[in-house]
Amino acid sequence: MNSFLRDLLGAFSDGRRWLADVTGRKSVTHDQLVELAEALLSGRGEASGVAIAQEVLRGYGTLTGEARTAFFATLAERFGPDRERLAAAAEGFLAADGPDAQAEAALQRASEPRRLELIRRLNLAPGGTAALVSMREDLLAVLRDRPDLHPVDADFQYLFTSWFNRGFLTLRRMDWDTPASILEKIIRYEAVHEIQGWDDLKRRIDMPDRRLYAFFHPALADEPLIFVQVALMDEMADAIAPVLATDRETVDGGHATTAIFYSISNTQVGLRGISFGNFLIKQVVEDLSREFPSLKTFATLSPVPGFRRWLDGEIAKGGEAVRALPRAADILPRLSGGDWIDDPAADKEMKPALQALASHYFLVARSPTGKVIDPVARFHLGNGARLERINWRADLSEKGRRQSHGLMVNYLYDLKDIERNHEIFANKGEVVAAPAIARHLKALSLRKTATAQE
Amino acid sequence: MNSFLRDLLGAFSDGRRWLADVTGRKSVTHDQLVELAEALLSGRGEASGVAIAQEVLRGYGTLTGEARTAFFATLAERFGPDRERLAAAAEGFLAADGPDAQAEAALQRASEPRRLELIRRLNLAPGGTAALVSMREDLLAVLRDRPDLHPVDADFQYLFTSWFNRGFLTLRRMDWDTPASILEKIIRYEAVHEIQGWDDLKRRIDMPDRRLYAFFHPALADEPLIFVQVALMDEMADAIAPVLATDRETVDGGHATTAIFYSISNTQVGLRGISFGNFLIKQVVEDLSREFPSLKTFATLSPVPGFRRWLDGEIAKGGEAVRALPRAADILPRLSGGDWIDDPAADKEMKPALQALASHYFLVARSPTGKVIDPVARFHLGNGARLERINWRADLSEKGRRQSHGLMVNYLYDLKDIERNHEIFANKGEVVAAPAIARHLKALSLRKTATAQE
Amino acid sequence: MNSFLRDLLGAFSDGRRWLADVTGRKSVTHDQLVELAEALLSGRGEASGVAIAQEVLRGYGTLTGEARTAFFATLAERFGPDRERLAAAAEGFLAADGPDAQAEAALQRASEPRRLELIRRLNLAPGGTAALVSMREDLLAVLRDRPDLHPVDADFQYLFTSWFNRGFLTLRRMDWDTPASILEKIIRYEAVHEIQGWDDLKRRIDMPDRRLYAFFHPALADEPLIFVQVALMDEMADAIAPVLATDRETVDGGHATTAIFYSISNTQVGLRGISFGNFLIKQVVEDLSREFPSLKTFATLSPVPGFRRWLDGEIAKGGEAVRALPRAADILPRLSGGDWIDDPAADKEMKPALQALASHYFLVARSPTGKVIDPVARFHLGNGARLERINWRADLSEKGRRQSHGLMVNYLYDLKDIERNHEIFANKGEVVAAPAIARHLKALSLRKTATAQE
Amino acid sequence: MNSFLRDLLGAFSDGRRWLADVTGRKSVTHDQLVELAEALLSGRGEASGVAIAQEVLRGYGTLTGEARTAFFATLAERFGPDRERLAAAAEGFLAADGPDAQAEAALQRASEPRRLELIRRLNLAPGGTAALVSMREDLLAVLRDRPDLHPVDADFQYLFTSWFNRGFLTLRRMDWDTPASILEKIIRYEAVHEIQGWDDLKRRIDMPDRRLYAFFHPALADEPLIFVQVALMDEMADAIAPVLATDRETVDGGHATTAIFYSISNTQVGLRGISFGNFLIKQVVEDLSREFPSLKTFATLSPVPGFRRWLDGEIAKGGEAVRALPRAADILPRLSGGDWIDDPAADKEMKPALQALASHYFLVARSPTGKVIDPVARFHLGNGARLERINWRADLSEKGRRQSHGLMVNYLYDLKDIERNHEIFANKGEVVAAPAIARHLKALSLRKTATAQE
């Protein structure tokens, strides 16, 4: 990129700050805000769009939580499509005999709610994108109690999907030369293995065998949207503590064979449902492959956040997995106690039992709607990864014990199999897993096992 | 903006270059391309979207012109909405009694053509945005002969309107420290008063009383989308030659009273219909106001590209304006000769006659669809400017004589009147003009004159 | 500055890192190193200077401490001027009758030690400047025990004075957008009021009423050479704790009347004796004046590092100041106890006593060589500041009590008086002080008081 | 380099502009200027150095040419060393028996002229370095007529040598993304093969097989100090026209075997005598080697600027080379005519004759002081290159014919031989040349030939 671009995005970075600035300024009423929104959609908006958009966002920023929800309700009711025009278009389309591109296009245009254009025009304001992402965060917070606002959210999501298209995102490595203001956000946003201050962060980004990559969008230029942390290693990690240890030995990047993605965090609540992770992982796999030809294996070291809750449910209701577990009467009571995990003798009996139950959790168990239960598994399997290994005593933090009895898993990203894996998972709902996973399952006396990759 | 952003957009700038690179590489057939497009929309696209998008764009780049048109036709026929689903949604909507947000949303979703998602996914490829803008340029070139492709173009325009939202554009001043690669494009793209090489360019950007501003988009980072050239002066310019003269005296920016926008050029054919100019002018007015508090007047010095063609038509058919012109029998014959304009004596008779006719052209004459005839006038009046002055002997270039008998006009941008002017023009179709314009008109013996601002 | 410059200095930043890299690589002997140095000065050095310089610096990096000192000794003995040539030039100069520019120039050239050119050629290596600064740091560490190495140090200092000329330094504000790698150094280098980690740093650089400025040199681009911390306030600070408090109220920069320089730290031991602080303070005063027109007063809040040691000496030997102190028999014993300072009643008696003694310390007491004793005072008075106020209970940290019984002082920088103050101090050795300082002194029964500015 | 550096040099770039700005401002007299210079060296200079330095430079800028020369004369007479102190130091040194580092250092310090410190302090001013380089340019212009000013020039050169040490220079590739303001200077400064405007420049920097590299200094950040133009080729160029042709075929960089340095231009007259070219060529050889492993040969295509003048002299005086030339009576008269060079038949007789004479010019002929006559040859041979080939009909421009009867030569840079070549040339004064050069010489009937490398 030529040097000319460096100031190209100056105008974008002040969205949140801007919203914050309005605190204490003259507030507006709901009706004034709606009036402004109507003005923005009118001819006045064409003449003075930037100024009016700014005023709407400023006014919104002065509203209380309840008033914001009321504004969303008005967006739902009053800023939908023009119903008469839509009805006419629908009738016109149905009346056509044979395909009629004209009628289809008319129907498409008529079905667009007015709030779509409203949101687009709000984006005229400096810092508008950040303010709109923040606005949707407010909306999501009340959505569970206000299903009538779903159409408003759908419109936000529709536009954000277009605006935050992967083609507009840039991958950036974060390192120790990154501005502190951005690194501070990395510390705050890390959601998987909490970053314990700046020293811990430095260990994760300023060592030759550690990397942190983030996606950025030009309109939110100082906000990482999602980031992934990578450890370059000489084997596939089977526990998190050695990865994060303060006194570990570093691996020479040129000799590393394995890249372990040990943490992936989304940062913007207001962008929920806009998918970045898939692209992020694949881009990082490609970039690392180019930089370190010695890398052969790309895998995650991932938590299993839903395992223990599922298992507790199975135990409570005497589910299939529990019934099929040999020596369940011995094992299950120990699980509810806390300290078996630190007992070396546990390896003999508890390890195979938990691995078998976890295999069942991944390969057999399904949610009421027929989906794989574990959200992290759904993400990686949906990306085309395969479930590679179930690691015993892999996360002994309080959180690790509480969520998954200390288990973690590896998902393997093998670029040549990704399409096939994805299709098996997406079309047949089958989990592609290494043979070892199916072998764990055999410890249970089940009638039928799931497919495993040979 | 913090320094971190400077490399943020590296990935975007290679779109056109990329398309060019494919020349000579293995070409694809129409059917292969369609197959790839289908794959991109399928589960494969979810797993390997970036790679497939890249391949579609590469393949498209190898097609001949005719094959490209055939591909657009396929987009029109085969990548529209799912008609059965759309019919069901239309019926569901019509069957609802009373407002039904659910049904409206379903209809909105069902009416979306598959090619919209296809275009969004094509944007996954590095350089995708530039390639898509270029693709639409191809489409526009055949649209006149292929009205059936209009729905495809509408979808391109719909997405581009969203992607090139003013909120994503950045205003940049171009000066002598700008990379030569970008300045070269300015020279090439200038559409109003041709830039005669680098020396001429330097005079327009490297003098204290000259400015050139452009809008850029992050995904087309080395392509100015539109640019405007400004002269800081101590009076409102009434001719172009002194503005561009090589030996003029410079005005000290701190004492300039008037900013003259003397050239505005769109650069990307593929972005036709996406409006930037309005925002560009207003932003530049704001920025200059801040930088030079002495500036009181912001106005254009604009060509009148449709005047002579209209007048020749009037003469040919003996239209109203011509009939109302006193001493028409003397004047009209001289017009068709070429050299009256350089005759000092022409001032006496020809000047008031032409100003009267031009006033009629702006204030009274209308196109068959009732619009102001002059495209430049429609642009500025639509922005809320007012027609300020008709300048005699203002552009004596061959082009100026041919288009407008040497006339140019000033449009005045007075930010406090912009909304009102815009509404008068947009809603009533009336041209807001300085009183002098109406006075010119009085030289004609018409029954009724247009409204002029007092 | 145009954007072109941003990569301009890439080659410079790796000096220290480079020296560190050699650890473990093949080491060289003293004689090999000297041979390399001779080669660098020979014709080989002209042909292959960069490579040989690199090898000398690498080799030096592998030496032990003792071997480094031996190398410096060789520089002193063997790389001085050519004595025969120098003798001839000296005789030639003395033989001339009348001014002889030729002879003077010859003598100048002949007197230059060979190691000057050697050091200049060592700077050919990438990262050479940083390596040479580091080399001088080694030299300074042994200089007290090796007075014979002083001429070597003088040559380093001579060159560094030329290379680190203020004209080559750039002032940069450090803020929260500065790379973490540089901020980390600020934390490490702060020498006056220790920075307690990143939160404390953030309070000092990311608040609207706090600033931190540093000088940088292009050849040490990621190393701040010296930095100053500034608090914008609405009165002259009389204690450090409120300045650094975590819960203080911020002052709106636009209303601040007073800029307090509360910490100045040099960072590069190897640049000892090269004066930056004077230029730094004056540049920051100028820049802040421009940015905040409301600022009227520029002053320091400075430690008094030599006060207690001096006072303890006076007490021990019954010096003049102590003898002149009224009620000394009461006061002096309390001083040696530690806790009187926290006793509110101390204000009555201890405060005037300490202020009187401190006035004596500044205005009257002198070192054996006749200089003002306090090094911080010498620095600011030498810059042309005036001693403005002695603040009681101003630094209650352990260090503050130990150094100065909790006293701090303000030095006032009034640009219009700086030259005059400097001359009075530099030429007459008199301390320019506010009248209040002399009034404190009157509490002592001395025969003669120092001059104070009226 | 971390991103932090991009603004690091802001203060430096305005030197020339600054000097230009003073035009028209209040001028100073010679005596005022000298008074200011004295003030700068006094205590006032310590307190207010930046301001006084600025005023001296401003004042100097207002002087006429003659007044500038008078100022230089004052620098020579009045700002030399303190003669009494110098005499004392010289006597002290001579009086010492045995080496006395103390006395040597004292003599070194005493011999330094006051103007050295004056120049250093002038560099405190913003833009000082550029202003001083410009000042020396003025000095050089009068030096031939004013030998008494040589000591002043020596001091400028001494400081510039230190300031412009290669360790402070950065190599930058100039390409089409370089700011126009810098490229414009490249066009202006090119001294060997004139750049015919922007199109010609673009051909030289924006083609895959053409490169242009320049050295920059942080204190003259927008001024290239020296630059070299390189053609990547698949053979050693033997004529300039094909290298510069507008319609030539480009060579794929990855397959190029030969890098031809076809133009090297110094740009700053005021830096005459500070050697950059040697470092520039070697650095570019290294960088290109790394980037294009296929490159095996690095050579120049160089003019022979002194050949024709020398030959004309030989002819006029009937020198050795001319007397030894077979068939001289035929050949010499044709030379003075202009058009033989375009006659194809000339190849047979004129080519060997000219090559023989040129060999003599390089290998045998010497200046009165015993040096190789050709300045370009001295430069490259001094760098350790070897004379590789004499090219016939290589530069048919008017300048090429006038300077060298159309001859050009290649100098070969073979890094492994550079030191040896340099030593042979520097120590023995012998020209290292390819065997072919000596063979040309054999056509002359000389008694003794020069050494050629076998």
Side-chain angles (χ1 to χ4, degrees), chain D residues 71-98:
Chain D
F71 177 63
F72 294 135
T74 303
L75 288 185
E77 288 154 25
R78 182 165 163 176
F79 289 83
D82 177 331
R83 285 190 197 98
E84 287 185 27
R85 184 178 158 221
L86 181 52
E91 280 158 5
F93 168 76
L94 291 170
D97 55 8

Side-chain angles (χ1 to χ4, degrees), chain A residues 190-194 204 229 231 233 236-245 260-264 299-308 340-341 350-351 354-359 361-362 374 376-377 380 386-412 436-437 440:
Chain A
E190 160 70 10
V192 185
H193 303 290
E194 195 185 343
R204 300 192 192 195
Q229 297 173 53
M233 310 187 69
M236 198 186 299
D238 61 3
I240 189 65
V243 173
L244 299 178
I260 294 295
F261 299 70
Y262 66 90
S263 177
I264 303 173
T300 73
L301 179 63
S302 299
V304 194
F307 175 59
R308 184 160 181 180
W340 58 272
I341 206 170
M350 300 302 280
K351 179 179 174 184
L354 275 171
Q355 287 178 325
L357 290 166
S359 298
Y361 170 69
F362 285 113
D374 198 80
V376 174
H380 291 297
R386 96 172 179 180
L387 177 60
E388 192 63 12
R389 201 167 61 178
I390 296 172
N391 300 296
W392 159 252
R393 275 198 191 122
D395 181 1
L396 297 182
S397 72
E398 192 278 326
K399 185 179 170 191
R401 293 168 190 234
R402 177 165 36 83
Q403 282 188 345
S404 59
H405 287 305
L407 296 187
M408 299 187 82
V409 298
N410 302 115
Y411 298 100
L412 182 77
I437 309 293
H440 292 319

Side-chain angles (χ1 to χ4, degrees), chain C residues 1 4-8 12 44 47-48 83 104 111-112 120 123 158 162-163 165 167 170 282 419, chain D residues 1 6 8 12 44 47-48 83 104 111-112 120 123 158 162-163 165 167 170 182 221 278 282 419:
Chain C
M1 177 173 63
F4 164 77
L5 304 177
R6 85 179 126 97
D7 299 323
L8 207 145
F12 296 137
R44 280 187 61 202
S48 311
R83 286 189 195 99
E104 287 163 23
S111 70
E112 181 167 305
R120 275 193 292 260
N123 199 41
Y158 180 82
S162 182
W163 291 350
N165 186 300
T170 317
K282 287 166 190 169
E419 278 194 28
Chain D
M1 178 172 65
R6 86 179 127 99
L8 208 144
F12 296 138
R44 280 187 62 203
S48 312
R83 285 190 197 98
E104 287 164 24
S111 70
E112 181 167 307
R120 275 193 292 260
N123 199 42
Y158 180 83
S162 183
W163 291 350
N165 186 300
T170 317
I182 292 182
N278 182 5
K282 287 167 190 170
E419 278 194 29

Side-chain angles (χ1 to χ4, degrees), chain A residues 11 32 37 43 56 84 98 114 266 269 283 292 348 365 413-414 434:
Chain A
Q32 287 169 331
V56 173
E84 288 185 27
R114 296 166 65 225
N266 279 290
V269 175
Q283 186 69 54
F292 300 108
K348 184 141 179 256
Y413 280 82
D414 190 340

Side-chain angles (χ1 to χ4, degrees), chain D residues 424-443:
Chain D
I424 292 172
F425 181 72
N427 300 343
K428 308 196 207 157
E430 284 175 16
V431 170
V432 181
I437 309 295
R439 280 198 295 273
H440 293 318
L441 193 58
K442 288 185 185 149

